Amino acid sequence: MNTHAMKSATLSGGFAEPVFDAQGVFRAVMDAMARPGKVVELSGKTAPPAPLTPEAGAIALTLLDHETPVWLGQKLAVSPAVADWLRFHTGCRIVSEPEQAQFLWVAAGDALPSLASLNLGSDADPELSTTVLLEVANWQGGNPLQWRGPGVAGARTLAVQGLPDTF
């Protein structure tokens, strides 16, 4: 890819309506996090460089900012265009070690680092914990998992395809 094409790919692909698109994606992400196992649709459209998916790009543009250290899994890290796109559109810092990250971004099929090495936050400061964004192949066709706990009425079953065996 020539330099002009690389710069163009870095500068393009963000939200068409940044404020409204980010608000819609934020609402959807908060709904999904408040109701574990719930599949939500994202309204904001992005066109990030591959292998970052449009959905992952929308979430990144919504949740990341200049104070956010982000670790990228191997498939994402080998593409300089992904890091450039994220830095340009969010101002985030890309870090080399998972332990340094507030957000861990892992593409579908990529190895998940040890969760034990990540920041767990505390009862007093839960916002200091690392958020893991794990892309999956499909929301069906995997081993069925039962989701229970706060935010889940009774139980919810999902058969997510592409989750690591540790789940």
Side-chain angles (χ1 to χ4, degrees), residues 10-90:
T10 298
L11 301 177
S12 65
F15 287 137
E17 296 289 333
V19 172
F20 296 115
D21 290 341
Q23 288 173 343
V25 171
F26 185 79
R27 278 191 299 274
V29 168
M30 290 301 108
D31 187 33
M33 291 177 77
R35 293 170 183 80
K38 180 179 181 180
V39 178
V40 298
E41 293 288 324
L42 298 180
S43 57
K45 306 294 182 216
T46 64
L52 194 64
T53 66
E55 297 82 7
I59 294 169
L61 296 187
T62 301
L63 299 181
L64 305 181
D65 64 21
H66 69 283
E67 295 180 347
T68 313
V70 178
W71 180 85
L72 301 174
Q74 185 175 356
K75 287 182 183 179
L76 299 171
V78 298
S79 171
V82 169
D84 289 346
W85 189 86
L86 289 170
R87 281 192 293 264
F88 175 77
H89 287 279
T90 71

Side-chain angles (χ1 to χ4, degrees), residues 147-165:
W147 299 72
R148 300 175 190 273
V152 180
R156 183 173 286 132
T157 301
L158 279 179
V160 180
Q161 186 180 33
L163 283 176
D165 292 338

Side-chain angles (χ1 to χ4, degrees), residues 75-156:
K75 287 182 183 179
L76 299 171
V78 298
S79 171
V82 169
D84 289 346
W85 189 86
L86 289 170
R87 281 192 293 264
F88 175 77
H89 287 279
T90 71
C92 71
R93 283 187 302 116
I94 307 298
V95 296
S96 59
E97 298 298 325
E99 299 81 18
Q100 301 168 327
Q102 276 186 307
F103 282 82
L104 206 72
W105 219 288
V106 181
D110 229 348
L112 184 64
S114 168
L115 297 179
S117 67
L118 305 179
N119 189 344
L120 301 177
S122 67
D123 288 342
D125 295 305
E127 75 281 359
L128 298 179
S129 65
T130 303
T131 299
V132 177
L133 295 133
L134 176 62
E135 297 178 36
V136 295
N138 200 328
W139 290 104
Q140 333 175 38
N143 292 328
L145 297 173
Q146 286 273 319
W147 299 72
R148 300 175 190 273
V152 180
R156 183 173 286 132

